Amino acid sequence: PTASNSAPTYWTIAPNFHAALDMQGAIGVDRQIAKSVTGNVTYLYSRGVHDYLSNNTSAPFFDGSTNMYPAAPLTPPNQDINQYQSGAVYRENQVIATINARMKMFSIFSFYTFSNAKSDTSGYDSFSMNAHDPGQDYGRTDFAVTNRLLILGDVNLPYAISFAPFFVYNSGNAYNITTGTDLTANNQFNARPAYAPASDCPAGVTSTRYYSTKYGCLDANPIGTNEKIIPYNVGIGPSNYSLNLRVSKVIGFGPKLAHAQGGGDHHHGGGGLGGRGLSGNQGGPGRLDAAVARKYSLTLSVFAQNVLNHENLSPPNGTLGGPFFGKSQSLAGGFFGPSTAGNRSIFLNAGLNF
């Protein structure tokens, strides 16, 4: 056991613990839009059961079916019995649309996805707000991006020069808003505020209990009220976009080859469902450099990340009443994560093929 807020803590595994199970079903339609242009639309449904979560099983019971806190403060337990459980669920609906154009001198690969994903867990190490009703945390998932757009181009210019722009856009990720206090006596401080009447948030008045936010007037201490607890992950972070650009020049030397390696239509499909739907021929561009009919080649390239120098931010801090509430404290990751300390990065690269 380890000490946590003066209460000893023990960890156990639920006796009915199961391995998580994920299921997917999809249906898609392909269409030849023009001679060199194809399109695809896919609907994808995902369902997960026995998903993992953690719970403090020694926390006092309160009826979460009313979506309100109890009438009186709960008494914290004299010990914390934390348990790994597998009773969470996950559901996601996705629509994926792709358009691809493959011409002699250039190609464009693009896809758009709409996603609506909900779950009552954020992973094995996430604790339920109400230990006796994990479903009260059923809401938008942390990772789901409602709208995502990607456009990848490849332009072959004379003198073995290639020009490859890459644009990606994501709408904001969800984030949870909490009071920063332990209203459910589970020793996790992940309680959420409740919706208060607008009259409790008069303009120009500062309060340590009521906070006027873009999500409404929120009550940080709604014990004993008839106010409804806000949904899990009701907050929406900032949207992000990034324009990247790669320009390369290939210099061939040495004996001539009968056929250039990778010549002709050098684009090929990728693997996995990803953002291309069900179609087997909707992959993005393959190699992004020109092919030369020489045994040896030197490739010089410049890659610029976030050309427009847009500030891509992570989801804001969700602790109500804290000094950083509603403010992003770091840059976004993934497609938008800079490789250096700055927003925009430029890389020079040289590669020898022999």
Side-chain angles (χ1 to χ4, degrees):
T2 58
S4 177
N5 283 3
S6 73
T9 300
Y10 303 87
W11 280 92
T12 65
I13 299 176
N16 60 345
F17 192 89
H18 289 276
L21 176 63
D22 294 321
M23 300 164 283
Q24 286 189 330
I27 183 172
V29 177
D30 289 312
R31 177 71 177 176
Q32 189 79 28
I33 300 175
K35 181 180 179 180
S36 300
V37 181
T38 59
N40 168 273
V41 177
T42 298
Y43 167 73
L44 176 65
Y45 175 74
S46 303
R47 171 78 186 276
V49 295
H50 303 306
D51 283 357
Y52 307 135
L53 72 153
S54 294
N55 242 331
N56 185 347
T57 58
S58 58
F61 173 83
F62 78 92
D63 183 8
S65 62
T66 61
N67 199 33
M68 293 184 294
Y69 288 105
L74 298 172
T75 302
N78 55 14
Q79 64 179 2
D80 295 318
I81 303 177
N82 296 336
Q83 188 176 81
Y84 292 115
Q85 301 177 350
S86 60
V89 296
Y90 158 73
R91 298 179 180 89
E92 182 176 19
N93 293 278
Q94 282 185 294
V95 176
I96 305 169
T98 69
I99 296 180
N100 298 281
R102 300 176 179 178
M103 309 297 182
K104 182 178 180 181
M105 297 295 294
F106 72 92
S107 68
I108 295 177
F109 167 70
S110 63
F111 78 79
Y112 164 80
T113 63
F114 169 83
S115 177
N116 181 7
K118 292 185 177 181
S119 179
D120 50 9
T121 180
S122 294
Y124 73 91
D125 57 348
S126 65
F127 279 79
S128 298
M129 183 191 74
N130 183 351
H132 303 280
D133 185 9
Q136 199 167 358
D137 286 345
Y138 187 77
R140 186 179 175 187
T141 62
D142 299 333
F143 62 85
V145 176
T146 302
N147 298 287
R148 173 179 284 126
L149 174 66
L150 182 147
I151 302 175
L152 176 61
D154 179 16
V155 182
N156 297 315
L157 302 175
Y159 306 107
I161 297 175
S162 293
F163 179 85
F166 172 45
F167 176 80
V168 62
Y169 163 84
N170 282 358
S171 57
N173 285 80
Y175 68 97
N176 199 27
I177 297 178
T178 64
T179 63
T181 55
D182 187 11
L183 301 179
T184 62
N186 66 350
N187 201 22
Q188 294 302 314
F189 303 92
N190 58 355
R192 300 191 298 275
Y195 290 115
S199 58
D200 288 334
C201 294
V205 177
T206 301
S207 171
T208 58
R209 174 176 175 177
Y210 299 103
Y211 297 89
S212 179
T213 74
K214 63 180 179 180
Y215 306 106
C217 181
L218 303 183
D219 185 355
N221 187 29
I223 296 294
T225 69
N226 294 321
E227 299 166 349
K228 297 292 185 180
I229 303 172
I230 68 172
Y232 180 80
N233 269 1
V234 70
I236 303 297
S239 59
N240 293 315
Y241 65 85
S242 179
L243 175 63
N244 305 324
L245 178 63
R246 185 177 188 273
V247 180
S248 65
K249 161 70 176 176
V250 181
I251 303 171
F253 58 95
K256 287 187 176 182
L257 300 177
H259 299 283
Q261 297 295 322
D265 183 6
H266 58 260
H267 305 289
H268 55 83
L273 188 60
R276 65 186 181 91
L278 289 174
S279 174
N281 62 356
Q282 297 292 326
R287 59 181 295 167
L288 299 178
D289 300 319
V292 292
R294 295 284 184 172
K295 185 175 181 179
Y296 310 110
S297 63
L298 175 65
T299 302
L300 305 175
S301 64
V302 178
F303 176 68
Q305 183 181 25
N306 195 5
V307 175
L308 302 178
N309 202 29
H310 176 68
E311 186 179 44
N312 293 300
L313 299 174
S314 64
N317 183 296
T319 303
L320 194 66
F324 301 105
F325 174 72
K327 299 178 182 178
S328 297
Q329 296 176 268
S330 63
L331 297 176
F335 282 119
F336 311 101
S339 302
T340 63
N343 274 331
R344 179 169 52 201
S345 303
I346 299 177
F347 302 91
L348 305 178
N349 185 65
L352 179 64
N353 183 37
F354 58 92

